[in-house]
Amino acid sequence: MAVLHSTGISVRKTIGKTLAWLFAVLAILIVALAVFILTFDWNRARPYVNDKVSEAIGRPFAIEGDLKVGWRHPVGETGWRSWVPWPRFSAQNITIANPDWTKQKHFATLDEIDFQVKVLPLLAHDIVIPAINVVNPSVDLERLLDGRNNWTFKLKSSAGPSEWKLDLHDIQLNKGNIALSDQQKKLDMQAVVDTLGQPIPIGEAMKQQEEASRRSSAEVVGKQGAKQLTAQAKAVAASEASGASAVAPGVPVASGASVPAATAGVGASSVVAASGVPASATGTPVAQSTNSPQYGIGWTVKGTYNRSPISGSGKLGGVLALQDTSRPFPVQADVKAGDLRIALVGTVTDPAHLAAVDLRLWLQGTSLDHLYDLTGITLPETPPYATEGHLVGNFKQGASVFRYENFTGRVGGSDVNGTVVYTQRATRPLLEGTLVSNLLQFKDLAPIIGADSNASKAKRGDTARQPSDKALPTEEFKTDRWKAIDANVKFTGRRIIKDPALPITDLYTHVVMTDGVLSFEPLKFGVAGGSLASNIHLDGSATPLKGRVSTEARHLKLKQLLPTAKTMQNALGEVNGDAALSATGNSPAALAASSNGEVKLLVTDGAVSRLLMEAAGLNVANVVYEKLFGNRDVQINCAAGDFVVTDGVLDSRVFALDTQDAVINVDGTVNLKNESMDLGVHPHTKGFRVFSLRSPLYVKGTFKDPHVGVNAAALAVRGGAMVGLGLINPFAALIPLIAPSNNKPLPCQQLMAAMEAQHPTAPPPGQREKAKALALPPGTPGASAVSPSTAPSKQPAKPNNGAALPGPANAADYKGS
């Protein structure tokens, strides 16, 4: 037993000594490792590190400064873990080379990078880095026209998935520089990024941007326009606060649109604005919770895009917020590109793949068509504009959808409200929407067809100039853009503000654009108590453009048609008419100059000032009488116009006015090619009239400079006869001024029946064709030489929907109310 006992003691002593030595050796190794780490010149390892990283990224990588490893006390650890030091790695002057075809030598340079690594998680193959500090990073991005770029790396593929996982908690950035040269996008920009001194809540950024954007709006649309835009925006916010679906009183939302889910049913004191930012009823953010997104990085940018200057600034969320793809990432930007200014505040989900956006968006510029270069969306030329609204969207492969919801805007002196939806499709994108203007300045429509002044063109950056001697717009349509996108947009102008001489009250149009073909189905104006509706079909898929137009004028009141003419204020009749034209050409002037078709007009059951009628017939005695004793009325039985249009020349086959006292007919031509007129006005007195010269008038000159006068030859004959007779007997001088009646008034009922039966027609674009004239009895003043039996026969031209061009529904359409 004693032997066994001594043996046990010996074994325990041996084990104890062994363990003691093991601990001693471990301690020595730890100390030696610590001494090695602290004293080893890690720069000797740089070639190995450089080679391994270069092999992994397929691009030369180099640490050209010191490579150091040290130990630091752990931060935030408690208990025994606080006794385990963390290694700290740092490297200076790091470079990553560019391909040999780039302008710059390096893709990226870095003054210094340092970070710490938690030791214990390494046992589980987890690389946990609490923070990385990056000093003065600089990145150069380049892309050539052929598509080559320097940001695509040929990374070395591994045999299998790595057992190691990286967990990065924070990045501290100290002034980074990014340069971008993209020949495909015509971009050349330099950006500077830096960490903010302290995080900025998204609500505070929203408030600051709202104030800045509204100040900028005043520079574009004027102080009054900016004030009205602010009022519109507040009306929208109040509407959303009450859960209404309208963007303003009486302003509908586009088909399929709805108030954002965040705003529906929320009280006015707690409205939620775009991007989940709490806001007041006026759209101004209020205090945010601690969970509200915050900005951690600021940036500025300058450069050129398509040779136009770009400058701007903004903020982003923290870099590590990018790791959580399900959490909205805050963004803010205020950028000016040429004459366009874009500002936004909100969030982006999964920024690396742009999964979704939720933004408050402000747009300002000199013309909406300038957005084409930035977005690829075809919009019309307009006066200066400013808008603000809510942009939401989802990015999907080949099927992205974006909604500019409940936006408000000013375009020139007009307001515009509504919702538009952009949908990406395999063929062409589609733009849909419903827009409303409660107060529309008629002059703001002029740039759409290039009919604004040269000063206005210059202001919106258009190099085209209208010749001083031309009345019809010569600016060409940008048909090359019509194939870039399809459109289905409805626009209503509820009240039109215009020159008092223009009797236009309201506007509605449905714009449809498909594969380069632009249609207005219809373009309808409220005019003089009636309507002027046109179906316009412009095929821009071929050169030159091919156009077809059919127009209906219904119940235009004479009194309202010329509201500034005092002699028309007692008028009671109406104007009705139809037109059908086809043409080819890339501008309004070119289309008019090549037009072919027919125009028909009819005035029924009216009365106008005797002063106007007698002045037109040069009935001197009655003109003097009216000047002395006032104005009386003369009854209009009817008036009719029937014109054939051939290669831009309007020829009057019937152009006559039947009154209780006279029949006046007009003949001649109007040439739309050179904008000239050559018309004759011929009065035919019905009864025995004294002091009536009955001399024809002429209307000549151009649209810009017309000349109206008396036919000198006819007047000279009558005047010479009067003087000759006067030498014999003074009373005989009255004989040439006596106008016997021809007793052949215009057959008004036949005119109405003929216009109802013979709708205007037009040949296909580019073809000439004359239609038959109205069937008037032989000998009627103004009757055409073309009779129904000899007129060429043809089928009515078909508009784009395949139906015959519209005509009056019945004879009542032509009768006055």
Side-chain angles (χ1 to χ4, degrees), residues 449 472-477 479 545 583-594:
I449 59 171
L472 298 175
T474 60
E475 183 176 344
E476 294 191 350
F477 301 111
T479 56
L545 178 149
T584 60
N586 288 346
S587 70
L591 287 170
S594 63

Side-chain angles (χ1 to χ4, degrees), residues 198-516:
Q198 60 183 6
I200 297 178
I202 192 172
E204 182 178 338
M206 179 77 75
K207 182 178 180 180
Q208 294 174 353
Q209 187 59 66
E210 182 181 82
E211 293 174 352
S213 293
R214 289 177 178 175
R215 286 195 303 268
S216 178
S217 294
E219 299 174 3
V220 179
V221 297
K223 292 182 179 180
Q224 183 63 26
K227 182 178 180 180
Q228 292 170 330
L229 178 59
T230 299
Q232 292 170 229
K234 289 182 178 180
V236 171
S239 176
E240 292 178 347
S242 63
S245 61
V247 300
V251 180
V253 178
S255 177
S258 62
V259 176
T263 67
V266 181
S269 62
S270 59
V271 180
V272 178
S275 314
V277 181
S280 66
T282 62
T284 303
V286 296
Q288 296 91 36
S289 68
T290 56
N291 294 326
S292 296
Q294 294 185 327
Y295 299 100
I297 295 177
W299 57 268
T300 60
V301 65
K302 64 178 181 179
T304 60
Y305 171 65
N306 199 17
R307 299 183 179 180
S308 295
I310 289 181
S311 62
S313 61
K315 291 178 281 290
L316 301 171
V319 175
L320 294 181
L322 296 171
Q323 293 183 351
D324 187 356
T325 58
S326 63
R327 183 177 181 181
F329 180 77
V331 296
Q332 180 267 328
D334 191 340
V335 178
K336 188 172 183 181
D339 61 358
L340 171 65
R341 186 165 186 170
I342 301 175
L344 55 89
V345 178
T347 60
V348 177
T349 303
D350 190 8
H353 302 92
L354 291 176
V357 296
D358 187 353
L359 306 168
R360 189 71 181 174
L361 178 65
W362 293 264
L363 296 173
Q364 299 154 9
T366 56
S367 178
L368 281 171
D369 74 311
H370 294 180
L371 287 171
Y372 177 80
D373 293 331
L374 183 67
T375 65
I377 298 176
T378 302
L379 295 171
E381 290 90 346
T382 67
Y385 67 92
T387 74
E388 60 178 274
H390 183 197
L391 177 68
V392 294
N394 294 292
F395 291 84
K396 296 180 181 179
Q397 188 65 33
S400 300
V401 179
F402 301 93
R403 301 172 59 85
Y404 197 23
E405 293 183 331
N406 299 342
F407 76 88
T408 63
R410 304 293 301 180
V411 181
S414 307
D415 72 283
V416 61
N417 312 274
T419 294
V420 292
V421 181
Y422 173 91
T423 304
Q424 187 179 9
R425 303 184 302 177
T427 52
R428 288 170 306 280
L430 174 64
L431 183 68
E432 300 174 283
T434 298
L435 307 177
V436 172
S437 175
N438 292 306
L439 288 175
L440 174 63
Q441 293 275 8
F442 187 74
K443 65 180 181 180
D444 293 335
L445 300 174
I448 296 177
I449 59 171
D452 53 335
S453 66
N454 285 338
S456 174
K457 294 177 191 291
K459 189 173 183 179
R460 60 184 168 92
D462 199 326
T463 58
R465 293 293 181 270
Q466 179 73 12
S468 59
D469 60 339
K470 294 292 185 181
L472 298 175
T474 60
E475 183 176 344
E476 294 191 350
F477 301 111
K478 297 176 181 178
T479 56
D480 56 317
R481 299 182 177 184
W482 294 5
K483 286 188 175 182
I485 192 171
D486 291 345
N488 188 342
V489 178
K490 297 177 180 179
F491 178 79
T492 301
R494 289 206 169 108
R495 179 185 172 193
I496 293 181
I497 307 299
K498 79 292 183 186
D499 185 289
L502 291 174
I504 301 175
T505 56
D506 55 81
L507 162 66
Y508 170 78
T509 187
H510 182 193
V511 182
V512 178
M513 187 161 63
T514 305
D515 195 18

Side-chain angles (χ1 to χ4, degrees), residues 545-605:
L545 178 149
K546 296 181 178 179
R548 296 200 304 271
V549 179
S550 60
T551 300
E552 286 184 346
R554 291 294 180 269
H555 308 300
L556 275 59
K557 306 298 189 295
L558 284 174
K559 180 178 180 179
Q560 300 179 40
L561 195 61
L562 297 173
T564 59
K566 293 182 179 180
T567 57
M568 297 295 288
Q569 295 313 297
N570 295 324
L572 301 175
E574 288 188 350
V575 178
N576 295 274
D578 294 285
L581 297 170
S582 65
T584 60
N586 288 346
S587 70
L591 287 170
S594 63
S595 56
N596 293 276
E598 292 180 295
V599 179
K600 299 178 185 290
L601 294 173
L602 187 64
V603 181
T604 59
D605 298 335

